[in-house]
Structure formats: structure tokens, C-alpha cells
Amino acid sequence: MKQDSSRNATYTVDCEDYVHVVEFNPFDSGDIGSLIAYGGNNYVVIGTCRFQEEDAEVEGIQYETLRTFHHGIRVDAIAWSPETRLDALPPQIRFCTAAADRKLRLFTSDLQDKNEYKIFDGHSDYINDLVFAPKEGQDIASVSDDHTCRVWDLEGNQKACFVLCSPGMSVCWHPEEAFKLMVAEKNGTIRFYDLITQQAILSLKSEQMPLMSAHWCLRNTLKIGAVAGNDWIIWDITRSSYPQDKRPVHVDRARLFRWSKVNENLFATTGYPGKMTSQLLVHHLGHPQPILIGSAAVGSGLTWHRSLPLCAVGGDHKLFFWVTEM
């Protein structure tokens, strides 16, 4: 089992910069390909990919860069807007970045002459995660080391600010729960906020610290996953505020947790970058061991394809893609 599950990336794409963060567009953009965004020290690149798993005419992977945006500073996080459409005339690409200068940048482009960006200023420390409102895309939520979660409109006006007890590590907005925001803190607390009353309505505890990443399951709104210390942790929010399941998986501390978008029992975790190789583990809740072990030279970022059991990690001048079984 161990030998079989450990393997090199299924596909790789060469990049012109070190890749800090990579995100598949989780929304339908009206195109047959999948949009992917990745960020490095200076640039954000928007590309489109097709895989042989979805199109028999493709050999392996077909990747094309649509546009490179000059960013001028290291990209720490990227979020896609549901307003991104490739089937519109003209097409619209919209995404937001968090950068090392503690600012958000909202980019809007028609992939031709119109390329605009707005800067949102307000956080006083590093921004760890951000997300668009999944239905209309008219708001953006962000979390920071400054112990806040902030909600912004597209003009950069702050609509809400939730004060946290420790650094905010992850923020999630579920398409089926448009008026709730999930915020995960480094101290191991995950809270759900009601965006109408701006009150916390539910909290979960990891018992482990530091919590580095948490994610709300797209396929099952009752499931929350996270990594803290060396463990992955899963909650069923109907049962208890304490974990339903947890397991130590990363020797060198776990860094990221992401649910698959196609199967509520499939998720991936990554180990801490900084060692020569970063470990990617793909887990299935029905299996005691990881079903896939991959490693990327100084990998960072983690994202799942919208409709395939395929995840991507960034690395040194490369994107790595792994295909797994359902």
C-alpha cells in the first residue's frame, strides 16, 4: 500500500516564477476549460487547462496562459469571483489577491484592453486568506494576523469587522449558506458568524494548536476540516463542537487542508514548506492510510479542480497536478 500510494505528479506545467499560491476557479465560467490562477513574487498568471480525464482528445494536460498581471509584490493568497465569465462578450476575469504589504487588490480584466485594479487598505498585519461572496460576488471577506475578519464591498469600503482572539487563518463562504461566514483562528477556534446580525452563532474547538488552515466542505455543509499541529481534524457540526475524527499525518507540521469539490469523503493536506520537499497527502475517510502521497520541491498552495478528483500544488517554477481515485 505504501509504495503504491507514493508517486510523482501526474502532470506538470512550467512557470516563469516561484509559485506561492495556486487556485482553480471554483465557479462555472461558461468555458470548457478550467481557469487557474497562480501567484509568485511579482506576478499573477491566469491560465486555462483541460485534462485527458475530461476530454479524450487531450493528451495529458493542455495548458494555455490567458494573461499575466504585474503585481509588483509577493502574492500570498488569491480568490476567484463568481462574476468571472469566459462566455460573455467581452469576457470578464475578476479575482482578488492578498499581498505581503497587507493590502488586498481587486483585479478586473476583459483579457484585452481593460485591466483595472483597486487596492483595499485596512488590515494592519499579514492577510492569510480571502473569499468572495459565492452567489453574487459583491463582497469579499479576509482574515489576518491582526486578529480581525473584515468584509468589504467591491469599492474597498469595509462593511463589517469581526474581532478575533488570535490570528485569522482561514475564511470560507459556502454557496448554500450565503449569510454565514466560517472563520478559523490560529488558537484552534472555528466560529460561524451570521452576516445579518454580525453575531457569532456557533463555534468549534480543535484542542490542538496552532491551527493553520480550515475548510468548509462544498458537498456537505455539516462537515468542517482543518489541520493543526501534525493532525488533520474533522467535525460534524450537528454532533459536537469537538472533533469527530482526527489523525496525525505530517511529521513536520501540517500547513493546508482542502476538501475535494467532487466527493465529501476526499480531502488533501500539505506539510510545511521550508524543507526541500513539501509533502502532499490525499485522504479518503474510508481508508486508514493516505490514498496518495506526493512531494513537490518546496511546494506551496493547494487547490482542487471543480469537477475532477484532481488537485494542484505550486512549486519552484512549476505547477504540479495529481489525479486521484474517488
Side-chain angles (χ1 to χ4, degrees):
M1 176 77 190
K2 267 289 197 261
Q3 277 77 15
D4 271 350
S5 59
S6 184
R7 55 185 141 117
N8 292 335
T10 318
Y11 312 116
T12 58
V13 167
D14 291 328
C15 310
E16 47 297 320
D17 193 359
Y18 180 85
V19 180
H20 290 289
V21 58
V22 55
E23 292 292 342
F24 276 115
N25 181 7
F27 306 107
D28 178 11
S29 65
D31 187 63
I32 55 163
S34 290
L35 283 167
I36 193 166
Y38 64 89
N41 293 319
N42 271 307
Y43 302 98
V44 177
V45 178
I46 302 295
T48 177
C49 359
R50 291 283 284 160
F51 298 92
Q52 67 183 23
E53 285 74 12
E54 57 188 336
D55 182 346
E57 290 179 16
V58 173
E59 267 187 58
I61 180 175
Q62 192 179 331
Y63 171 82
E64 180 197 353
T65 292
L66 298 180
R67 181 165 283 266
T68 300
F69 295 86
H70 184 69
H71 196 260
I73 189 165
R74 190 187 74 221
V75 184
D76 289 336
I78 300 173
W80 282 96
S81 163
E83 291 191 291
T84 292
R85 298 300 299 185
L86 287 181
D87 56 353
L89 281 170
Q92 170 163 277
I93 297 280
R94 178 169 280 167
F95 61 93
C96 191
T97 64
D101 61 359
R102 309 165 182 189
K103 292 176 172 60
L104 299 176
R105 286 169 176 77
L106 174 66
F107 289 82
T108 306
S109 169
D110 64 1
L111 296 175
Q112 285 139 16
D113 310 323
K114 181 190 165 195
N115 294 288
E116 311 169 347
Y117 75 92
K118 287 194 184 86
I119 293 182
F120 298 6
D121 213 339
H123 281 296
S124 60
D125 210 332
Y126 287 117
I127 301 163
N128 293 311
D129 197 15
L130 73 164
V131 65
F132 276 84
K135 290 282 188 230
E136 313 290 327
Q138 296 305 299
D139 296 308
I140 298 167
S142 56
V143 287
S144 162
D145 281 354
D146 69 9
H147 295 208
T148 66
C149 170
R150 296 169 196 246
V151 181
W152 318 76
D153 67 17
L154 298 189
E155 296 302 313
N157 304 308
Q158 201 172 285
K159 295 175 69 175
C161 180
F162 301 105
V163 178
L164 313 176
C165 300
S166 68
M169 302 306 289
S170 296
V171 58
C172 295
W173 214 326
H174 201 289
E176 291 164 41
E177 297 276 5
F179 298 106
K180 290 191 189 122
L181 208 53
M182 184 210 90
V183 177
E185 296 189 37
K186 201 169 190 174
N187 68 4
T189 304
I190 298 174
R191 282 194 190 84
F192 292 82
Y193 292 93
D194 182 317
L195 289 167
I196 311 252
T197 63
Q198 297 195 7
Q199 299 294 315
I201 46 178
L202 176 73
S203 71
L204 308 174
K205 297 266 190 292
S206 75
E207 300 177 297
Q208 253 101 330
M209 283 168 48
L211 185 150
M212 296 309 290
S213 169
H215 200 215
W216 198 345
C217 183
L218 178 70
R219 292 272 156 216
N220 182 344
T221 55
L222 305 177
K223 275 185 175 170
I224 308 296
V227 285
N230 302 30
D231 299 13
W232 60 252
I233 304 165
I234 287 168
W235 293 262
D236 172 339
I237 61 175
T238 58
R239 296 208 180 162
S240 165
S241 60
Y242 290 99
Q244 189 187 357
D245 205 353
K246 62 180 175 183
R247 208 157 292 164
V249 281
H250 292 279
V251 188
D252 54 350
R253 296 223 337 252
R255 177 65 190 90
L256 294 170
F257 182 109
R258 294 285 184 274
W259 291 104
S260 146
K261 296 187 173 67
V262 293
N263 182 330
E264 67 169 78
N265 293 311
L266 195 61
F267 61 96
T269 59
T270 61
Y272 230 78
K275 302 268 194 322
M276 276 318 285
T277 56
S278 286
Q279 216 181 19
L280 163 80
L281 300 178
V282 176
H283 315 266
H284 189 287
L285 285 175
H287 293 262
Q289 298 296 328
I291 59 170
L292 186 151
I293 300 168
S295 63
V298 289
S300 62
L302 173 62
T303 183
W304 284 91
H305 189 279
R306 212 178 123 246
S307 54
L308 293 172
L310 179 152
C311 60
V313 169
D316 187 7
H317 291 76
K318 274 192 176 11
L319 291 175
F320 300 95
F321 301 88
W322 279 270
V323 179
T324 183
E325 286 72 47
M326 295 275 269

